[in-house]
Amino acid sequence: MLDAKTTEIVKSTAPVLKQHSSQIGKRFYELLFRKAPELLNVFNQSNQKRGIQQEALAYVVYAAGEHITDLESLTPVIRRINEKHRALGIKAEQYPIVGETLLQAVKDVLGDAATDEIINAWGQAYGYISDVFIRMEEELYKKIEAEPGGWSGYRRFIVDKKEMESSEVTSFYLKPEDGEAIASYKAGQYLTIKAEISEEPYTHMRHYSLSEAPGRDYYRISVKREDAVHNDPEGIVSHYLHDRVQRGDSLLFSAPAGDFILSPDDLPVVLISGGIGITPLLSMLNEIVNKWPQREVTFVHATSNSQTHAFQSHVAELAQSRDQVKSYVCYSSPTEEDRSNHRFDKEGRIDKEVLTSIKPSGPANYYLCGSVPFMESVVKLLRDLNVPKEDIHYESFSPLAMLDEE
């Protein structure tokens, strides 16, 4: 444990780090890639260009300092990071250079305000925090290796089938190249690809949600083609998968990971997705139908129109054939054909009226996935409808997002 003086320094200076979090994050990555360019093989370079990774780092640093005497309160955050680290293959020996670089970034940004006393205190705090992370991640590595069909590192999978689900989304059915068993997973988890693209100087890691219920002899991921929008670059890996990867090609994946999973109780479930956020929730829907045939589930999906609406026929069929399943669709830009064929329930976005109409009368679990602004909006609406914070669960495709924080 840290001594009282060190703890006091860290807690009192945490708000200063928050104030300068963006600059510290930016400086950290500049220094890190200069010292250890091999880490460019791990970090998402598209997120670097968008500034998303920097924000994620800054949040963790500030939150850890603020809660240094009670890291248990950050368990959801730590667990989520641990899962991503295990999926990416982050090892204990990589932590020291990160800590050293982080302290240098703090010093560079804060200047004379970052006294030796402050830097030393944060150095001790980082050591304490990293030890917690390392222990938890070692347990995850051991657990997945011990599971039937589990593996460490990256394993080769063959694309058994490639199937378009919408104008933007394509599914990839993956079978192990070695023909051996594959690890099971929980609905809502993801696979991590290590993409080796010929003209790219570094490998590219990406997390893709498993879009099918567990229990098959294959994995399925469903990937949205990310085109360049305004100042955001196109998705390097999504374009590679859509345009160049074909049936029979071999790809590298780490074992399933993630903490966004269904509760084991029998409470009603409300699944709310926006765009490509449908993928983990579809896995959950399929698992509920297979495993809990009496458990009520409402599937709410928002997208532009039927052209971008992946898996629309599958969800509609379940809603028609299963009494336990209800479906509600919002199109923000429906086509005339969508209107004439009544392919959606509401024109526009998910609002309070929509959520009021589908909200179960009693306790329920709510699972959200989509863009951060989408989820922020839905979380606020649910809280306005008096849904307890602990009943709202979410997955973010950004490096880290914490919603409705108090």
Side-chain angles (χ1 to χ4, degrees), residues 43 59 85 87 89 94 96 132 198 224 234 240 267 308 356 392:
F43 288 95
Y59 176 87
H85 281 184
Q94 292 172 314
V132 172
S198 57
K224 178 187 176 185
E234 69 177 32
Y240 167 69
L267 288 176
T308 62
T356 300
I392 303 172

Side-chain angles (χ1 to χ4, degrees), residues 67-317:
H67 299 274
I68 194 67
T69 56
D70 180 28
L71 285 181
E72 286 188 5
S73 64
L74 284 180
T75 296
V77 184
I78 294 173
R79 187 185 299 120
R80 181 158 295 183
I81 296 171
N82 289 155
E83 289 281 346
K84 290 187 181 295
H85 281 184
R86 199 277 295 160
L88 292 168
I90 300 298
K91 300 295 185 182
E93 55 266 26
Q94 292 172 314
Y95 274 87
I97 191 169
V98 170
E100 172 191 319
T101 308
L102 180 58
L103 293 177
Q104 184 61 53
V106 171
K107 199 164 187 176
D108 288 353
V109 171
L110 298 186
D112 293 340
T115 63
D116 289 344
E117 186 178 49
I118 290 173
I119 293 298
N120 289 336
W122 274 96
Q124 292 180 53
Y126 178 82
Y128 172 66
I129 295 164
S130 63
D131 284 346
V132 172
F133 275 66
I134 290 168
R135 285 197 302 271
M136 293 179 72
E137 285 159 21
E138 284 178 346
E139 291 175 7
L140 288 177
Y141 281 114
K142 291 177 182 177
K143 181 180 177 182
I144 190 60
E145 289 179 36
E147 288 182 6
W151 71 94
S152 62
Y154 284 82
R155 184 176 175 185
R156 288 205 169 271
F157 283 76
I158 300 298
V159 176
D160 188 59
K161 183 168 65 170
K162 182 177 177 182
E163 190 171 75
M164 286 190 65
E165 308 291 357
S166 75
S167 62
E168 300 176 331
V169 178
T170 294
S171 287
F172 297 82
Y173 291 73
L174 308 164
K175 290 192 173 183
E177 188 177 68
D178 58 21
E180 300 294 327
I182 57 175
S184 187
Y185 59 93
K186 295 179 180 178
Q189 291 190 307
Y190 53 81
L191 289 183
T192 301
I193 186 173
K194 182 178 183 179
E196 301 172 314
I197 305 173
S198 57
E199 69 277 10
E200 291 289 327
Y202 302 101
T203 57
H204 292 269
M205 312 286 204
R206 296 292 187 276
H207 307 302
Y208 290 116
S209 295
L210 288 147
S211 59
E212 179 57 280
R216 283 133 175 102
D217 64 349
Y218 62 84
Y219 294 134
R220 184 180 75 180
I221 59 172
S222 302
V223 180
K224 178 187 176 185
R225 180 190 177 99
E226 297 288 353
D227 294 323
V229 179
H230 303 303
N231 293 324
D232 289 342
E234 69 177 32
I236 295 171
V237 178
S238 70
H239 273 249
Y240 167 69
L241 290 171
H242 274 250
D243 300 339
R244 295 164 60 177
V245 170
Q246 301 300 326
R247 184 175 182 273
D249 287 348
S250 173
L251 300 170
L252 289 167
F253 289 93
S254 63
D259 65 337
F260 182 59
I261 57 177
L262 288 165
S263 64
D265 55 51
D266 59 358
L267 288 176
V269 170
V270 180
L271 306 173
I272 306 174
S273 59
I276 192 58
I278 194 173
T279 50
L281 302 189
L282 183 72
S283 178
M284 290 181 174
L285 173 65
N286 289 344
E287 183 170 47
I288 291 170
V289 168
N290 295 338
K291 192 174 179 180
W292 295 287
Q294 304 304 317
R295 192 173 186 179
E296 295 180 11
V297 54
T298 303
F299 198 94
V300 183
H301 183 59
T303 187
S304 297
N305 49 53
S306 60
Q307 295 175 3
T308 62
H309 190 172
F311 306 105
Q312 53 183 312
S313 60
H314 175 75
V315 176
E317 183 180 335

